[in-house]
């Protein structure tokens, strides 16, 4: 019996030894010479080893660790709170830290009125909490807390621009996790004062999403002082294709090209270029003669973006080109498109060659050319590929991406080359990778 | 028995006529063929001459391109005194165009052949200066900062300013560039009694252009203003590499004395150069100095004396201009100073356990010149007034800082200058000048007029060269005079050069 008991004790000790060892290793602070203060990294390490008991204590510890170290720690904990549930207990500590971080915003907000009366400390805490929310926020409640934290200032406080940027980044990060929050945020914007509206609209723009752009478009004109900011942000989206807005929205934006304020005209021109609004071409051509240099240069950039043509900024030249393209489309364009269906190869090739240079109607022409691309190596396919690349229209992307699933290696290679030439990007060899760029 | 009959009277003598006619016809045909052949030969010769004239015109364009790459105007010879090339002659006319472009028209003549061709080239400016105020992966303008521009070739900054709002500024000329978004922050705002921000008097102002990266954008907060264009760059701007010249090291240098230490060596390399508190280092141009680690302590001073020539500083490992250190410049001309920092490694340099970034700029005073740190993140504090260009991997113009771009640096030959690039080529009409109108061989014509064409390599109109250089013995020298009399083989490194007609 005694032997059995002894065996059990030995086994128990063997099982517990790693825990004890790990505790002893991680609990011991790194030895350093007396008088030399701990580095931020060491403070964070100490925090991990012995998490504080409350969120308030955590906040103060993070402030002591310094902005950069605290930010890194917050990121690493919030990104994957449950990682590392090792036998040494570090996983449990990590979990505990994450839970404290989740409580931190509310705790700090509550503490603003009670404890954190020093303005510098308050500003630092605001930045800290916004950092936490940026990495862990998921609900409209989190957005509300971010607004409250950002607004927790007293008369005489200095509002640092870096804090505004951090606030916008935080709200944008929360929105990106769930764009359905847009509706709730929209209500918050409607109730906010002008300054907060500015920050929230900038945050919506910072999401770089199509839904964000559409929301911003709806806000145009409601508060003229915000129009410049809104125009700056409409159309700033990730992906290879511009956001599609309704005709009414595009018409509204085009109207801003006639604004009395030169900076508004400038931003409107840029926005129309980002949106690749073909209908705006005549107005943009007129803007080449704007009295404000910024508006002229932005209009020039927009024209080159929309048309893919590289004339000099000479309105007469552009106007002549536009009129010539319009006339061609009305008189011969549709006939040429019909010619693509001809049974005679020379006629089809002749039509393709004529269509390849018509940049103003490149979207329609590209869609008409896509069916001509087959997996064979016929002359028509070759010429059609060349024409599609020359037209530089993003409408080619879905059709070319579909070719990536072809069983023919040569066809796949051709499609990849064409996609890269049109977009200037290299998104791999899989259809899904390219289609993701359209979202 | 043979009967001889006389031919009928009417056909007597016809054989001669017939044979005469045949001979005449043959002669005529022969003459015609000769004529045809001669015509063909002439046309062939004309075609050959025209082709040769084309090649000579092309040679002229190449010569002019080389001249522009060297800093000349591109004008080669003239219609009255062309340059000789092979069996023909040419001359090239150069015409300046907007956006730093040049149109070259080259006229080639060979025998009776005439050909004119034209190219448009984009003059490549000083590659670093063309970046303007540049941040590669991040460009931030802090709240309350003011950015503008001027042209040092047209005078001092003060002579080009006006009062706008409550400050002296040129009101234009800023050139912000980035390969990323550009963020323009508003100033810090004080909250009033009702927690409403009080009006600001120090809004952030960019008097000029802000061009973000390709498909990127400008984010401008409240209380900011950008007066120029905000269109994105159409391509990624490449940061040129810094090629540090190899030099023999003089070891390390630590300055502690309050008596200024003046370094006048034309070329010098120090593994480490430290300016301690209250010490002063003067770098006197013309000079190229390479330093491993350069540290200026608080109250230490660094002065660039460019009265005698430009100063180019390479820092290869670590640059630390500590808070309280002072930068100054004697001549206040950005063209004459280049601070090129190749440092890139973040590591603990002073044993405090904290990794130090490769570049820290916390000085006060004034910096006139090109500051280029392509592998480091740089923050320009409000205490340091900058004139020239600033370019780094990430650039932050600190809150309330002032920085002025100098357009005059675009034509500076300091540091890295790129080659011109050809934009277009076309055939143009041969000019209506006497030497081209006449189909006489131009060399014969010129000889008859007593004119000797110039050799092609010496035909640029700019003959006078002003060059500051380091010769093979390491001494800095300056030459001013006829380029033909200058011995280029004595040049180890060019510091600056300029060309003039006379």
């Amino acid at each position: 019996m005694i032997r059995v008991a002894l065996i059990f004790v030995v086994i128990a000790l063997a099982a517990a030894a790693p825990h004890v060892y790990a505790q002893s290793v991680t609990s011991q602070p790194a030895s350093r010479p007396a008088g030399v203060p701990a580095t931020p990294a060491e403070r964070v390490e100490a925090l991990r080893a012995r998490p504080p008991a409350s969120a308030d204590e955590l906040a103060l510890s993070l402030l002591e660790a310094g902005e950069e170290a605290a930010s890194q720690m917050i990121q690493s904990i919030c990104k994957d709170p449950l990682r590392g549930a090792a036998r040494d207990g570090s996983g449990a500590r990590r979990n505990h830290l994450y839970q404290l971080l989740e409580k931190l915003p509310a705790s700090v907000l509550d503490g603003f009125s009670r404890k954190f009366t020093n303005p510098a400390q308050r500003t630092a805490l605001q930045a800290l909490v916004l950092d936490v929310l940026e990495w862990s926020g998921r609900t409209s409640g989190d957005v509300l807390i971010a607004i409250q934290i950002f607004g927790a200032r007293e008369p005489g406080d200095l509002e640092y621009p870096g804090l505004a940027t951090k606030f916008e980044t935080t709200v944008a990060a929360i929105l990106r996790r769930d764009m359905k929050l847009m509706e709730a945020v929209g209500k918050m914007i409607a109730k906010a004062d002008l300054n907060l509206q500015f920050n929230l609209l900038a945050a919506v723009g910072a999401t770089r999403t199509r839904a964000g752009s559409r929301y911003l478009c709806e806000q145009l004109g409601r508060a003229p002082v915000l129009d410049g900011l809104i125009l700056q942000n409409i159309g700033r989206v990730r992906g290879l294709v511009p956001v599609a807005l309704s005709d009414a929205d595009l018409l509204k934006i085009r109207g801003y090209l006639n604004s009395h304020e030169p900076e508004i005209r400038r931003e409107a021109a840029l926005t129309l270029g980002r949106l690749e609004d073909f209908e705006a071409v005549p107005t943009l051509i007129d803007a080449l003669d704007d009295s404000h240099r910024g508006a002229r240069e932005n209009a020039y950039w927009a024209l080159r973006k929309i048309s893919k043509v590289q004339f000099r900024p000479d309105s007469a030249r552009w106007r002549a080109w536009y009129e010539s393209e319009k006339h061609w489309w009305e008189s011969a364009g549709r006939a040429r498109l019909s010619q693509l269906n001809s049974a005679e190869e020379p006629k089809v090739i002749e039509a393709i060659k004529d269509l390849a240079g018509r940049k103003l109607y490149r979207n329609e022409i590209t869609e008409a050319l896509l069916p001509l691309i087959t997996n064979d190596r016929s002359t028509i396919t070759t010429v059609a590929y060349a024409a599609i690349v020359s037209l530089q229209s993003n409408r080619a992307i879905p059709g070319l991406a579909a070719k990536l699933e072809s069983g023919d290696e040569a066809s796949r290679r051709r499609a990849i080359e064409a996609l890269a030439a049109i977009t200037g990007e290299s998104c791999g060899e899989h259809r899904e990778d390219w289609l993701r760029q359209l979202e | 028995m043979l009967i001889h009959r006389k031919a009928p009277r009417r056909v007597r003598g016809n054989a001669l006529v017939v044979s005469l006619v045949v001979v005449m016809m043959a002669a005529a045909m022969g003459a015609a063929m000769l004529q045809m052949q001669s015509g063909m030969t002439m046309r062939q010769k004309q075609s050959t001459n025209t082709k040769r004239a084309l090649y000579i015109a092309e040679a002229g364009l190449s010569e002019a391109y080389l001249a522009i790459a060297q800093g000349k105007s591109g004008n080669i010879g003239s219609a009255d005194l062309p340059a000789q090339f092979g069996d023909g002659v040419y001359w090239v006319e150069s015409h300046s165009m907007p956006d730093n472009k040049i149109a070259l028209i080259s006229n080639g003549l060979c025998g009776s052949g005439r050909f004119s061709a034209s190219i448009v080239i984009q003059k490549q400016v000083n590659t670093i200066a063309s970046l303007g105020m540049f941040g590669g992966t991040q460009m931030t303008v802090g709240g309350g900062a003011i950015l503008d521009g001027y042209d040092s070739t047209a005078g001092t900054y003060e002579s080009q300013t006006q009062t706008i709002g409550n400050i002296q500024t040129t009101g234009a000329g800023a050139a912000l560039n980035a390969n990323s978004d550009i963020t323009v922050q508003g100033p810090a705002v004080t909250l009033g009694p009702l927690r409403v921000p009080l009006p600001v008097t120090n809004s952030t102002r960019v008097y000029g252009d802000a061009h973000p990266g390709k498909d990127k954008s400008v984010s401008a907060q409240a209380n900011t203003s950008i007066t120029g264009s905000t269109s994105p760059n159409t391509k990624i701007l490449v940061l040129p590499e810094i090629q540090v010249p190899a030099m023999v090291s003089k070891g390390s240098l630590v300055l502690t004395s309050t008596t200024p230490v003046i370094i006048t060596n034309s070329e010098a390399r120090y593994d480490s150069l430290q300016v301690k508190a209250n010490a002063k280092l003067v770098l006197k141009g013309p000079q190229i100095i390479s330093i491993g680690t350069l540290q200026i302590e608080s109250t230490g001073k660094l002065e660039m004396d460019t009265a005698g020539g430009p100063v180019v500083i390479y820092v290869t490992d670590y640059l630390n201009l500590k808070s309280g250190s002072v930068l100054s410049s004697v001549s206040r001309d950005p063209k004459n100073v280049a601070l090129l920092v190749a440092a890139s490694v973040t590591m603990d340099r002073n044993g405090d356990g904290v990794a130090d970034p490769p570049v820290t700029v916390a000085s006060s005073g004034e910096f006139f010149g090109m500051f280029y740190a392509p592998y480091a993140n740089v923050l320009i504090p409000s205490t340091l007034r900058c004139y020239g260009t600033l370019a780094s991997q990430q650039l932050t113009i600190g809150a309330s800082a002032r920085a002025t771009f100098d357009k005059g640096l675009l034509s500076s030959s300091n540091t890295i200058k790129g080659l011109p690039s050809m934009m277009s080529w076309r055939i143009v009409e041969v000019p209506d000048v006497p030497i081209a109108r006449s189909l006489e061989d131009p060399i014969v014509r010129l000889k008859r007029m007593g004119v000797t064409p110039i050799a092609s390599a010496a035909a640029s109109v700019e003959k006078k060269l002003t060059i500051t250089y380091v010769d093979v013995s390491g001494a800095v020298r300056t030459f001013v005079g006829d380029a033909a009399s200058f011995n280029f083989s004595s040049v180890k490194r060019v510091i600056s050069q300029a060309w003039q007609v006379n």
Side-chain angles (χ1 to χ4, degrees):
Chain A
M1 275 299 282
I2 292 173
R3 276 188 206 150
V4 169
L6 273 173
I7 290 167
F8 269 115
V9 166
V10 166
I11 292 171
L13 279 172
H19 287 278
V20 170
Y21 175 74
Q23 285 272 10
S24 68
V25 164
T26 55
S27 298
Q28 280 169 13
S31 60
R32 56 185 309 111
V36 177
T39 65
E42 283 170 346
R43 289 198 203 109
V44 166
E45 211 34 60
L47 234 167
R48 283 179 193 275
R50 269 200 298 260
S54 71
D56 280 357
E57 262 184 58
L58 173 62
L60 292 171
S61 302
L62 285 173
L63 283 184
E64 245 186 55
E67 189 185 335
E68 195 178 327
S71 182
Q72 278 174 13
M73 204 206 82
I74 290 167
Q75 271 188 57
S76 73
I77 298 282
C78 289
K79 268 179 168 179
D80 191 359
L82 298 178
R83 190 189 300 174
R87 285 187 297 173
D88 63 1
S90 66
R93 283 197 294 278
R94 191 188 178 94
N95 224 3
H96 176 61
L97 271 172
Y98 181 70
Q99 284 167 8
L100 286 179
L101 282 173
E102 279 194 310
K103 291 180 188 158
L104 197 143
S107 170
V108 165
L109 193 61
D110 184 50
F112 270 168
S113 54
R114 292 182 289 109
K115 301 193 257 193
F116 306 122
T117 53
N118 178 295
Q121 191 185 48
R122 249 206 313 273
T123 304
L125 280 170
Q126 283 174 302
L128 191 70
V129 168
L130 288 173
D131 230 349
V132 173
L133 288 169
E134 181 186 344
W135 291 102
S136 65
R138 276 172 169 75
T139 66
S140 57
D142 292 325
V143 175
L144 210 52
I145 293 183
I147 292 173
Q148 288 171 322
I149 287 284
F150 180 56
R153 292 156 296 182
E154 298 299 323
D157 277 0
L158 263 183
E159 187 179 291
Y160 292 99
L163 196 66
T165 308
K166 206 170 230 332
F167 170 71
E168 290 157 17
T169 309
T170 298
V171 173
I174 298 172
L175 274 173
R176 267 199 295 271
R177 286 191 188 104
D178 185 1
M179 283 307 289
K180 292 194 194 83
L181 295 174
M182 197 60 249
E183 200 185 322
V185 170
K187 288 180 184 157
M188 293 175 202
I189 292 174
K191 290 183 193 154
D193 63 52
L194 212 56
N195 294 306
L196 186 58
Q197 276 188 11
F198 189 100
N199 297 121
L200 286 170
L201 288 169
V204 173
T207 60
R208 301 282 194 276
T209 57
R210 290 161 206 282
S213 273
R214 289 190 194 102
Y215 173 80
L216 287 171
C217 223
E218 290 165 18
Q219 305 307 307
L220 264 180
R222 292 195 183 174
V225 73
L226 297 173
D227 284 345
L229 167 79
I230 292 172
L231 284 169
Q232 223 178 75
N233 283 285
I234 291 175
R236 288 167 69 178
V237 295
R238 294 194 172 90
L240 295 171
V241 294
V243 63
L245 296 177
S246 67
D247 290 341
D249 285 337
L250 290 171
L251 190 62
K252 199 175 11 169
I253 297 171
R254 276 177 233 141
Y256 282 91
L257 282 175
N258 299 318
S259 167
H260 293 301
E261 288 181 55
E263 297 193 1
I264 295 284
R265 296 199 299 273
R266 180 188 69 199
E267 293 308 320
L270 207 60
T271 305
L272 291 167
R274 276 199 296 268
L275 296 170
E276 293 192 15
D277 180 13
F278 284 81
E279 298 299 321
V281 167
T283 330
L284 286 168
I285 292 174
D286 292 337
L288 289 178
D289 297 322
D290 195 293
S291 57
H292 187 258
R293 188 175 64 80
R296 288 198 301 274
E297 291 195 11
N298 282 15
Y300 180 48
W301 175 87
L303 279 169
R304 284 178 296 160
K305 181 96 167 51
I306 293 170
S307 68
K308 306 291 186 197
V309 171
Q310 303 291 326
F311 298 139
R312 298 195 60 198
D314 173 359
S315 58
R317 181 72 186 89
W318 280 94
R319 211 166 275 120
W321 165 79
Y322 178 73
E323 293 303 326
S324 143
E325 289 286 282
K326 250 181 66 174
H327 175 73
W328 170 85
W329 182 252
E330 282 155 14
S331 60
R334 295 186 209 284
R336 280 297 193 200
L337 287 178
S338 314
Q339 208 174 320
L340 291 176
N341 300 322
S342 167
E344 298 174 36
E345 187 176 287
K347 284 199 170 163
V348 174
I349 292 174
E350 185 197 354
I352 295 174
K353 285 182 176 173
D354 188 15
L355 292 166
R358 303 293 175 177
K359 300 282 178 75
L360 189 60
Y361 297 95
R362 64 174 191 274
N363 287 343
E364 294 87 342
I365 294 170
T366 297
E367 283 174 347
L369 286 174
L370 278 171
L372 295 178
I373 296 177
T374 57
N375 286 343
D376 59 29
R377 288 159 184 70
S378 68
T379 310
I380 289 180
T381 299
T382 304
V383 177
Y385 258 114
I388 287 171
V389 169
S390 160
L391 290 166
Q392 298 273 297
S393 166
N394 286 320
R395 297 256 180 109
I397 295 175
L400 290 173
K403 295 290 170 198
L404 297 179
E405 294 183 333
S406 160
D408 180 26
E409 173 63 26
S411 289
R412 275 203 303 277
R413 190 82 2 235
R414 257 178 159 175
I416 290 173
E417 284 167 5
L419 283 165
I422 291 169
T423 63
E425 301 284 337
S426 175
C427 294
E429 298 192 359
H430 300 289
R431 179 169 170 260
E432 294 74 26
D433 296 333
W434 284 96
L435 292 181
R436 209 169 291 127
Q437 299 298 324
L438 299 174
E439 293 165 9
Chain B
M1 177 163 100
L2 288 170
I3 298 173
H4 295 278
R5 267 203 214 162
K6 276 190 187 169
R9 202 178 192 81
R10 65 182 183 275
V11 299
R12 204 180 284 173
N14 276 355
L16 187 61
V17 171
V18 168
S19 57
L20 262 175
V21 165
V22 167
V23 165
M24 278 171 62
M25 278 175 62
M29 281 171 65
M33 283 181 68
L34 206 65
Q35 183 72 13
M36 271 175 59
Q37 187 62 32
S38 165
M40 277 172 61
T41 305
M42 276 184 63
R43 277 197 296 278
Q44 215 163 26
K45 192 175 172 188
Q46 180 64 24
S47 171
T48 305
N49 281 339
T50 303
K51 195 155 263 186
R52 290 167 80 190
L54 183 160
Y55 294 139
I56 289 172
E58 286 283 319
L61 289 174
S62 299
E63 196 68 50
Y65 175 94
L66 177 63
I68 289 172
Q70 291 174 334
K72 301 177 186 174
S73 64
N75 286 304
I76 312 275
S78 65
D80 296 325
L81 184 60
Q84 182 163 359
F85 187 83
D87 289 336
V89 298
Y90 72 88
W91 72 95
V92 183
E93 296 160 9
S94 169
H95 304 276
S96 292
M97 294 170 66
D99 298 332
N100 225 24
K101 294 192 181 80
I102 296 180
L104 298 171
I105 301 174
S106 175
N107 308 287
L109 288 68
C110 182
S112 57
R114 308 284 183 259
F115 198 92
S116 293
S118 170
I119 61 171
V120 173
I121 62 175
Q122 176 82 55
K123 229 166 51 160
Q124 284 295 16
V125 296
N126 184 307
T127 327
I128 296 174
S130 65
L131 297 170
M133 306 292 180
F134 179 86
T137 56
Q138 182 183 302
M139 175 78 214
T140 305
V141 180
I146 295 172
L147 303 179
D148 59 4
Y150 82 120
D151 186 350
S152 60
T153 60
T156 63
Y157 173 73
E158 288 74 19
S159 67
Q160 297 172 41
T161 60
Q162 51 181 309
T163 306
I164 299 180
N166 51 348
I167 56 159
Q168 287 293 116
T169 170
T170 58
L176 288 188
N177 280 294
N179 284 334
S180 61
D181 290 338
I182 293 179
T183 303
V184 182
Q185 294 180 335
V189 172
T190 307
L191 293 178
L194 299 173
R195 293 185 181 165
V196 171
L198 298 174
V200 299
T201 54
N202 60 335
S203 57
T204 310
R205 281 164 269 182
V206 177
Y207 290 111
D209 300 336
H211 295 295
K214 185 170 182 279
D215 299 329
K216 304 292 182 189
S217 49
V218 175
S219 291
Q221 292 184 346
N223 298 311
T224 64
S225 155
I226 302 169
T227 63
S229 169
T230 55
S231 60
N233 283 309
T234 52
K235 55 185 179 182
I236 308 281
L237 298 177
V238 176
L239 293 176
E241 267 189 48
I242 296 178
Q243 287 174 346
V244 182
M247 295 181 215
V248 175
S249 173
K250 294 178 193 282
S252 296
L253 184 62
V254 179
L255 276 54
T256 53
S257 164
T258 53
T259 305
V261 170
I262 303 172
I263 295 181
T264 57
N265 297 341
S266 59
E267 286 191 340
R269 160 78 189 175
Y270 294 94
D271 295 329
S272 160
L273 203 162
Q274 204 172 2
V275 181
K276 293 285 198 185
N278 298 314
K280 182 173 179 180
L281 171 65
V282 178
L283 296 176
K284 198 172 169 67
Q287 169 151 190
I288 298 176
I289 183 167
S290 169
I291 306 169
T293 69
L294 171 61
Q295 296 190 76
I296 316 285
E297 302 287 339
S298 178
T299 68
K301 296 178 186 57
L302 173 62
E303 183 177 275
M304 324 283 184
D305 182 351
T306 57
V311 171
V312 180
I313 307 166
Y314 294 90
V315 177
T316 55
D317 301 324
Y318 179 52
L319 174 67
N320 189 0
L321 305 177
K322 292 188 181 175
S323 175
S325 62
V326 179
L327 300 187
S328 61
S329 183
V330 168
S331 72
R332 305 182 95 228
D333 184 355
K335 277 197 299 301
N336 286 331
V337 174
L339 176 52
L340 310 175
V341 184
S344 62
V345 178
T346 297
M347 55 185 269
D348 181 10
R349 311 245 177 206
N350 50 12
D352 65 354
V354 178
D356 302 302
V359 175
T360 299
V361 178
S363 303
S364 54
E366 291 182 324
F367 176 76
F368 284 81
M370 281 184 282
F371 181 94
Y372 183 57
Y375 318 117
N377 304 339
V378 176
L379 170 89
I380 302 296
S382 60
T383 50
L384 184 65
R385 180 71 171 91
C386 295
Y387 302 82
T389 64
L390 303 164
S392 61
Q393 189 179 84
Q394 289 186 14
L395 179 65
T396 302
I397 309 290
S400 303
R402 286 205 61 170
T404 299
F405 172 62
D406 175 16
K407 202 168 80 162
L409 286 173
L410 294 173
S411 55
S412 163
S413 59
N414 248 346
T415 66
I416 304 160
K417 198 167 182 180
L419 288 173
S421 57
M422 194 170 91
M423 314 285 297
S424 64
W425 181 98
R426 62 187 178 125
I427 299 169
V428 293
E429 226 177 283
V430 175
D432 186 20
V433 293
I435 192 171
R437 260 200 311 272
S438 142
L439 292 178
E440 189 182 359
D441 186 309
I443 292 179
V444 168
R445 178 191 165 90
L446 287 167
K447 193 171 176 185
R448 187 162 50 75
M449 292 166 66
V451 175
T452 308
I454 329 166
S456 177
S460 279
V461 301
E462 291 86 4
K463 306 276 188 239
K464 186 176 169 191
L465 170 66
T466 303
I467 181 170
T468 304
Y469 62 100
V470 177
D471 70 11
V472 293
S473 68
V476 172
R477 300 197 188 281
T478 300
F479 171 87
V480 180
D482 187 353
S485 63
F486 180 66
N487 179 13
F488 280 94
S489 62
S490 66
V491 175
K492 181 182 171 188
R493 191 173 300 116
V494 174
I495 296 175
S496 69
Q497 70 174 31
W499 293 88
Q500 287 160 281
V501 176
N502 49 35

